[in-house]
Amino acid sequence: MTTSTSHPHPHPHSHPHPHSSPAPTPGTGHAPSHHGELLQGVFLDTDGRPRAGLVTLPVDTPGTRADFTPRPGTPPDAVAVVPGGRTKAARAARFAVALCAERTGRPACGGTLRLAGGVPLGLGMGSSTSDVLASVRAVADAYGLRLDAGATARLAVRAERASDPLMLDARPVLFAQREGRVLEVLGAALPPLLVVGCLLGGGAAVDTLGLPAPAATGAELRAYARLREQLRRAVADGDAALLGRVATASARRAQHVLRHQEFEGLVALARRTGAVGVQISHSGSVAGVLHDPAVPGVEARADATRRALDARRISYTRTFTVGGDPNSPRGTASPRDGYSWTPKGCSLH
């Protein structure tokens, strides 16, 4: 069954801490990243209007930590960010200060925002949204609030024009990234997947907002509607093979814009190593070869994939699992066998 909602979270209200102090105190926030998209394109909302939307492949690490230290008496727009240059995070913190001050009645003031974490920049892993979300959560924590996902999504879109759905739980959703709202909850969890991650284009950064907007022609809308229906069915049936076909089809459509020279080679090696498909960032260079862990020999297939990537001089990053029962340890993305981000052949930071 298709579930649609105008809010990214079922709880539309913020929740004050039970023991709030009368003045802002130092606050901390955390946010995950993602591993690109399984599907991205243009989709009709419940009113029949075309909306840009995406379904991300979640991953818990790397992530971002933000620490906000209020400076009482300073102008509310005087937010200094460390390291410098994280302008979207600083902007989000200013917006969050205004909202939190209004909701709590406490003075709005500036402060210092410190960001730490290992989300690579410009690869399409949601580094900007991770910064923004962690910053909003740190400011809210300083004001004794826990903002709901809807409020956080609206702040994120204001701060960066388009936002990934990192403020949501691990459920697969079709998310309107330029509006900060869920178009459809696709189900409880993705089918189990083992992902062998890599980088296309040598890991070169991509200017996300500089990419052309996806087309909204009748043919495009029909094509994305078919992929949406197939992904919905893959989630409902726990069908990793169908999900892999959807992700590969979406990735191939994105090549009209991205034009990764290695893409067809990646698809070919995925086929040879018994993978169910490939996924990419539609606004970056990160990619993954998708394997069904329920099929015997998955570890051997993953090893073969890594060797094939090396033979094609495609930079390998790490291997992780995602999907399955959200209440089991395999229900969240995590590195396997000690693999972690590998700087070999490119710079990930």
Side-chain angles (χ1 to χ4, degrees), residues 201-247:
V206 173
D207 178 9
T208 303
L209 295 177
L211 295 174
T217 65
E220 291 293 302
L221 287 170
R222 288 190 294 274
Y224 285 120
R226 287 193 295 271
L227 291 176
R228 178 182 185 174
E229 168 57 30
Q230 290 169 1
L231 184 55
R232 185 187 302 134
R233 190 165 71 249
V235 171
D237 296 343
D239 189 337
L242 179 56
L243 183 148
R245 292 195 294 273
V246 170

CSV table of all heavy atoms in Angstrom, one decimal, residues 201-247:
chain,number,residue,atom,x,y,z
A,201,GLY,N,34.9,8.6,-11.7
A,201,GLY,CA,35.5,9.9,-12.1
A,201,GLY,C,36.7,10.3,-11.2
A,201,GLY,O,37.0,11.5,-11.0
A,202,GLY,N,37.4,9.3,-10.6
A,202,GLY,CA,38.5,9.6,-9.8
A,202,GLY,C,38.2,10.3,-8.5
A,202,GLY,O,39.0,10.8,-7.8
A,203,GLY,N,36.9,10.3,-8.1
A,203,GLY,CA,36.5,10.9,-6.9
A,203,GLY,C,36.4,12.4,-7.0
A,203,GLY,O,36.3,13.1,-6.0
A,204,ALA,N,36.3,13.0,-8.2
A,204,ALA,CA,36.2,14.4,-8.4
A,204,ALA,C,34.9,14.9,-7.8
A,204,ALA,O,33.9,14.3,-8.0
A,204,ALA,CB,36.3,14.8,-9.9
A,205,ALA,N,35.0,16.1,-7.2
A,205,ALA,CA,33.8,16.7,-6.6
A,205,ALA,C,32.8,17.2,-7.6
A,205,ALA,O,33.2,17.5,-8.8
A,205,ALA,CB,34.2,17.9,-5.7
A,206,VAL,N,31.5,17.2,-7.3
A,206,VAL,CA,30.5,17.6,-8.2
A,206,VAL,C,29.7,18.7,-7.6
A,206,VAL,O,29.4,18.7,-6.4
A,206,VAL,CB,29.5,16.4,-8.5
A,206,VAL,CG1,28.3,16.9,-9.3
A,206,VAL,CG2,30.2,15.3,-9.3
A,207,ASP,N,29.5,19.8,-8.4
A,207,ASP,CA,28.7,20.9,-7.9
A,207,ASP,C,27.2,20.5,-8.0
A,207,ASP,O,26.6,20.6,-9.1
A,207,ASP,CB,29.0,22.2,-8.7
A,207,ASP,CG,28.1,23.4,-8.3
A,207,ASP,OD1,27.4,23.3,-7.3
A,207,ASP,OD2,28.1,24.4,-9.1
A,208,THR,N,26.6,20.1,-6.9
A,208,THR,CA,25.2,19.5,-7.0
A,208,THR,C,24.2,20.5,-7.5
A,208,THR,O,23.4,20.2,-8.4
A,208,THR,CB,24.8,19.1,-5.6
A,208,THR,OG1,25.7,18.2,-5.0
A,208,THR,CG2,23.4,18.5,-5.6
A,209,LEU,N,24.3,21.8,-7.0
A,209,LEU,CA,23.3,22.7,-7.4
A,209,LEU,C,23.5,23.3,-8.8
A,209,LEU,O,22.7,23.9,-9.4
A,209,LEU,CB,23.2,23.9,-6.4
A,209,LEU,CG,22.8,23.5,-5.0
A,209,LEU,CD1,22.9,24.7,-4.1
A,209,LEU,CD2,21.3,23.0,-5.1
A,210,GLY,N,24.7,23.0,-9.4
A,210,GLY,CA,25.0,23.4,-10.7
A,210,GLY,C,24.5,22.4,-11.8
A,210,GLY,O,24.6,22.7,-13.0
A,211,LEU,N,24.0,21.2,-11.4
A,211,LEU,CA,23.5,20.3,-12.3
A,211,LEU,C,22.1,20.7,-12.8
A,211,LEU,O,21.4,21.3,-12.1
A,211,LEU,CB,23.4,18.9,-11.7
A,211,LEU,CG,24.7,18.2,-11.2
A,211,LEU,CD1,24.4,17.0,-10.5
A,211,LEU,CD2,25.6,18.0,-12.4
A,212,PRO,N,21.8,20.4,-14.1
A,212,PRO,CA,20.5,20.7,-14.6
A,212,PRO,C,19.4,20.0,-13.9
A,212,PRO,O,19.6,18.8,-13.5
A,212,PRO,CB,20.6,20.4,-16.1
A,212,PRO,CG,21.7,19.3,-16.2
A,212,PRO,CD,22.7,19.7,-15.1
A,213,ALA,N,18.2,20.6,-13.8
A,213,ALA,CA,17.1,20.0,-13.1
A,213,ALA,C,16.6,18.8,-14.0
A,213,ALA,O,16.7,18.9,-15.2
A,213,ALA,CB,16.0,21.0,-12.9
A,214,PRO,N,16.1,17.8,-13.4
A,214,PRO,CA,15.6,16.6,-14.2
A,214,PRO,C,14.4,17.1,-15.0
A,214,PRO,O,13.6,17.9,-14.6
A,214,PRO,CB,15.2,15.6,-13.2
A,214,PRO,CG,15.0,16.4,-11.9
A,214,PRO,CD,16.0,17.5,-12.0
A,215,ALA,N,14.2,16.4,-16.2
A,215,ALA,CA,13.1,16.8,-17.1
A,215,ALA,C,11.8,16.3,-16.5
A,215,ALA,O,11.7,15.3,-15.8
A,215,ALA,CB,13.3,16.2,-18.5
A,216,ALA,N,10.7,17.0,-16.9
A,216,ALA,CA,9.4,16.6,-16.4
A,216,ALA,C,8.4,16.3,-17.6
A,216,ALA,O,7.2,16.7,-17.5
A,216,ALA,CB,8.8,17.7,-15.5
A,217,THR,N,9.0,15.8,-18.6
A,217,THR,CA,8.1,15.5,-19.8
A,217,THR,C,7.3,14.3,-19.5
A,217,THR,O,7.5,13.5,-18.5
A,217,THR,CB,9.0,15.1,-21.0
A,217,THR,OG1,9.8,13.9,-20.7
A,217,THR,CG2,10.0,16.3,-21.3
A,218,GLY,N,6.3,14.0,-20.3
A,218,GLY,CA,5.4,12.9,-20.1
A,218,GLY,C,6.1,11.6,-20.1
A,218,GLY,O,5.8,10.7,-19.3
A,219,ALA,N,7.1,11.4,-21.1
A,219,ALA,CA,7.8,10.2,-21.2
A,219,ALA,C,8.7,10.0,-19.9
A,219,ALA,O,8.8,8.9,-19.4
A,219,ALA,CB,8.7,10.2,-22.4
A,220,GLU,N,9.3,11.0,-19.4
A,220,GLU,CA,10.1,10.9,-18.2
A,220,GLU,C,9.2,10.6,-17.0
A,220,GLU,O,9.6,9.7,-16.2
A,220,GLU,CB,10.9,12.2,-18.0
A,220,GLU,CG,12.0,12.5,-19.0
A,220,GLU,CD,13.1,11.5,-18.8
A,220,GLU,OE1,13.7,11.4,-17.8
A,220,GLU,OE2,13.4,10.9,-19.9
A,221,LEU,N,8.1,11.2,-16.9
A,221,LEU,CA,7.2,11.0,-15.7
A,221,LEU,C,6.8,9.5,-15.7
A,221,LEU,O,6.7,8.9,-14.7
A,221,LEU,CB,6.0,11.9,-15.8
A,221,LEU,CG,6.3,13.4,-15.4
A,221,LEU,CD1,5.1,14.2,-15.7
A,221,LEU,CD2,6.7,13.5,-13.9
A,222,ARG,N,6.4,9.0,-16.9
A,222,ARG,CA,6.0,7.6,-17.0
A,222,ARG,C,7.1,6.6,-16.7
A,222,ARG,O,6.9,5.6,-16.0
A,222,ARG,CB,5.5,7.3,-18.4
A,222,ARG,CG,4.1,8.0,-18.7
A,222,ARG,CD,3.5,7.4,-20.0
A,222,ARG,NE,4.3,7.8,-21.2
A,222,ARG,CZ,4.1,9.0,-21.8
A,222,ARG,NH1,3.2,9.9,-21.4
A,222,ARG,NH2,4.9,9.3,-22.9
A,223,ALA,N,8.3,7.0,-17.1
A,223,ALA,CA,9.5,6.1,-16.8
A,223,ALA,C,9.8,6.1,-15.3
A,223,ALA,O,10.0,5.0,-14.7
A,223,ALA,CB,10.7,6.6,-17.6
A,224,TYR,N,9.8,7.2,-14.7
A,224,TYR,CA,10.0,7.3,-13.2
A,224,TYR,C,8.9,6.7,-12.4
A,224,TYR,O,9.1,6.1,-11.4
A,224,TYR,CB,10.3,8.7,-12.8
A,224,TYR,CG,11.7,9.2,-13.2
A,224,TYR,CD1,11.9,10.3,-14.1
A,224,TYR,CD2,12.8,8.5,-12.8
A,224,TYR,CE1,13.1,10.7,-14.4
A,224,TYR,CE2,14.1,8.9,-13.2
A,224,TYR,CZ,14.2,10.0,-14.0
A,224,TYR,OH,15.5,10.4,-14.4
A,225,ALA,N,7.7,6.8,-12.9
A,225,ALA,CA,6.5,6.1,-12.2
A,225,ALA,C,6.7,4.6,-12.2
A,225,ALA,O,6.4,4.0,-11.2
A,225,ALA,CB,5.2,6.5,-12.9
A,226,ARG,N,7.2,4.1,-13.4
A,226,ARG,CA,7.4,2.6,-13.4
A,226,ARG,C,8.5,2.2,-12.4
A,226,ARG,O,8.4,1.2,-11.7
A,226,ARG,CB,7.8,2.2,-14.8
A,226,ARG,CG,6.6,2.2,-15.8
A,226,ARG,CD,7.0,1.5,-17.1
A,226,ARG,NE,8.1,2.2,-17.8
A,226,ARG,CZ,7.9,3.2,-18.7
A,226,ARG,NH1,6.6,3.6,-19.0
A,226,ARG,NH2,8.9,3.7,-19.4
A,227,LEU,N,9.6,3.0,-12.4
A,227,LEU,CA,10.7,2.7,-11.4
A,227,LEU,C,10.2,2.8,-10.0
A,227,LEU,O,10.6,2.0,-9.1
A,227,LEU,CB,11.9,3.6,-11.7
A,227,LEU,CG,12.6,3.3,-13.0
A,227,LEU,CD1,13.7,4.4,-13.2
A,227,LEU,CD2,13.2,1.9,-13.1
A,228,ARG,N,9.4,3.8,-9.7
A,228,ARG,CA,8.8,4.0,-8.4
A,228,ARG,C,8.0,2.7,-8.0
A,228,ARG,O,8.1,2.2,-6.9
A,228,ARG,CB,8.0,5.2,-8.4
A,228,ARG,CG,7.3,5.5,-7.0
A,228,ARG,CD,6.5,6.8,-7.2
A,228,ARG,NE,5.9,7.3,-6.0
A,228,ARG,CZ,5.2,8.4,-5.8
A,228,ARG,NH1,5.1,9.2,-6.9
A,228,ARG,NH2,4.7,8.8,-4.7
A,229,GLU,N,7.1,2.3,-8.9
A,229,GLU,CA,6.3,1.1,-8.6
A,229,GLU,C,7.1,-0.1,-8.4
A,229,GLU,O,6.9,-0.9,-7.5
A,229,GLU,CB,5.3,0.9,-9.8
A,229,GLU,CG,4.6,-0.4,-9.7
A,229,GLU,CD,3.8,-0.7,-8.4
A,229,GLU,OE1,3.3,0.3,-7.8
A,229,GLU,OE2,3.7,-1.8,-8.0
A,230,GLN,N,8.2,-0.3,-9.2
A,230,GLN,CA,9.0,-1.5,-9.1
A,230,GLN,C,9.8,-1.4,-7.7
A,230,GLN,O,10.0,-2.4,-7.1
A,230,GLN,CB,10.0,-1.5,-10.2
A,230,GLN,CG,9.4,-1.9,-11.5
A,230,GLN,CD,10.3,-1.7,-12.7
A,230,GLN,OE1,11.4,-1.3,-12.6
A,230,GLN,NE2,9.8,-2.0,-13.9
A,231,LEU,N,10.3,-0.2,-7.3
A,231,LEU,CA,11.0,-0.1,-6.1
A,231,LEU,C,10.0,-0.4,-4.9
A,231,LEU,O,10.4,-1.0,-3.9
A,231,LEU,CB,11.6,1.3,-5.9
A,231,LEU,CG,12.5,1.5,-4.7
A,231,LEU,CD1,13.6,0.5,-4.6
A,231,LEU,CD2,13.1,2.9,-4.7
A,232,ARG,N,8.8,0.1,-5.0
A,232,ARG,CA,7.8,-0.1,-4.0
A,232,ARG,C,7.6,-1.6,-3.8
A,232,ARG,O,7.5,-2.2,-2.7
A,232,ARG,CB,6.5,0.5,-4.4
A,232,ARG,CG,5.4,0.5,-3.3
A,232,ARG,CD,4.1,1.0,-3.9
A,232,ARG,NE,4.2,2.4,-4.3
A,232,ARG,CZ,3.8,2.9,-5.5
A,232,ARG,NH1,3.2,2.1,-6.3
A,232,ARG,NH2,3.9,4.2,-5.7
A,233,ARG,N,7.5,-2.4,-5.0
A,233,ARG,CA,7.3,-3.8,-4.9
A,233,ARG,C,8.5,-4.5,-4.4
A,233,ARG,O,8.4,-5.5,-3.6
A,233,ARG,CB,7.0,-4.3,-6.3
A,233,ARG,CG,6.5,-5.8,-6.3
A,233,ARG,CD,5.9,-6.1,-7.6
A,233,ARG,NE,6.8,-6.2,-8.7
A,233,ARG,CZ,6.9,-5.4,-9.8
A,233,ARG,NH1,6.0,-4.4,-9.8
A,233,ARG,NH2,7.7,-5.5,-10.7
A,234,ALA,N,9.7,-4.0,-4.7
A,234,ALA,CA,11.0,-4.6,-4.2
A,234,ALA,C,11.1,-4.5,-2.7
A,234,ALA,O,11.5,-5.5,-2.0
A,234,ALA,CB,12.2,-4.0,-4.9
A,235,VAL,N,10.7,-3.4,-2.2
A,235,VAL,CA,10.7,-3.2,-0.7
A,235,VAL,C,9.6,-4.1,-0.1
A,235,VAL,O,9.9,-4.8,1.0
A,235,VAL,CB,10.5,-1.7,-0.4
A,235,VAL,CG1,10.3,-1.6,1.1
A,235,VAL,CG2,11.6,-0.9,-0.8
A,236,ALA,N,8.5,-4.1,-0.6
A,236,ALA,CA,7.4,-4.9,0.0
A,236,ALA,C,7.7,-6.4,0.0
A,236,ALA,O,7.4,-7.1,0.9
A,236,ALA,CB,6.1,-4.7,-0.8
A,237,ASP,N,8.4,-6.9,-1.1
A,237,ASP,CA,8.7,-8.3,-1.2
A,237,ASP,C,10.1,-8.7,-0.7
A,237,ASP,O,10.4,-9.9,-0.7
A,237,ASP,CB,8.6,-8.8,-2.7
A,237,ASP,CG,7.2,-8.6,-3.2
A,237,ASP,OD1,6.2,-8.5,-2.4
A,237,ASP,OD2,7.0,-8.6,-4.5
A,238,GLY,N,10.8,-7.7,-0.3
A,238,GLY,CA,12.2,-8.0,0.1
A,238,GLY,C,13.1,-8.5,-1.0
A,238,GLY,O,13.9,-9.4,-0.9
A,239,ASP,N,12.8,-8.0,-2.2
A,239,ASP,CA,13.4,-8.5,-3.5
A,239,ASP,C,14.6,-7.7,-3.8
A,239,ASP,O,14.6,-6.6,-4.5
A,239,ASP,CB,12.4,-8.4,-4.6
A,239,ASP,CG,12.8,-9.1,-5.9
A,239,ASP,OD1,14.0,-9.3,-6.0
A,239,ASP,OD2,11.9,-9.5,-6.7
A,240,ALA,N,15.8,-8.2,-3.4
A,240,ALA,CA,17.1,-7.5,-3.7
A,240,ALA,C,17.3,-7.4,-5.2
A,240,ALA,O,17.9,-6.4,-5.7
A,240,ALA,CB,18.2,-8.1,-3.0
A,241,ALA,N,17.0,-8.4,-5.9
A,241,ALA,CA,17.3,-8.4,-7.4
A,241,ALA,C,16.5,-7.4,-8.1
A,241,ALA,O,17.0,-6.6,-9.0
A,241,ALA,CB,17.0,-9.8,-8.0
A,242,LEU,N,15.2,-7.2,-7.7
A,242,LEU,CA,14.4,-6.2,-8.4
A,242,LEU,C,14.9,-4.8,-8.0
A,242,LEU,O,15.0,-3.9,-8.8
A,242,LEU,CB,12.9,-6.3,-8.0
A,242,LEU,CG,12.0,-5.3,-8.5
A,242,LEU,CD1,12.0,-5.2,-10.1
A,242,LEU,CD2,10.5,-5.6,-8.1
A,243,LEU,N,15.3,-4.6,-6.7
A,243,LEU,CA,15.8,-3.3,-6.3
A,243,LEU,C,17.1,-3.0,-7.1
A,243,LEU,O,17.3,-1.9,-7.5
A,243,LEU,CB,16.1,-3.4,-4.8
A,243,LEU,CG,16.7,-2.1,-4.2
A,243,LEU,CD1,16.2,-1.9,-2.7
A,243,LEU,CD2,18.2,-2.0,-4.2
A,244,GLY,N,17.9,-4.0,-7.3
A,244,GLY,CA,19.2,-3.8,-8.1
A,244,GLY,C,18.9,-3.3,-9.5
A,244,GLY,O,19.6,-2.5,-10.0
A,245,ARG,N,17.8,-3.9,-10.1
A,245,ARG,CA,17.5,-3.5,-11.5
A,245,ARG,C,17.0,-2.0,-11.5
A,245,ARG,O,17.3,-1.3,-12.4
A,245,ARG,CB,16.4,-4.4,-12.0
A,245,ARG,CG,16.9,-5.8,-12.3
A,245,ARG,CD,16.0,-6.6,-13.2
A,245,ARG,NE,14.7,-6.9,-12.6
A,245,ARG,CZ,14.5,-8.0,-11.8
A,245,ARG,NH1,15.4,-8.8,-11.5
A,245,ARG,NH2,13.3,-8.2,-11.3
A,246,VAL,N,16.2,-1.7,-10.5
A,246,VAL,CA,15.7,-0.3,-10.4
A,246,VAL,C,16.9,0.7,-10.2
A,246,VAL,O,17.0,1.7,-10.9
A,246,VAL,CB,14.7,-0.1,-9.2
A,246,VAL,CG1,14.4,1.4,-9.0
A,246,VAL,CG2,13.4,-0.9,-9.5
A,247,ALA,N,17.8,0.4,-9.3
A,247,ALA,CA,18.9,1.2,-9.0
A,247,ALA,C,19.8,1.4,-10.3
A,247,ALA,O,20.3,2.5,-10.6
A,247,ALA,CB,19.7,0.7,-7.8
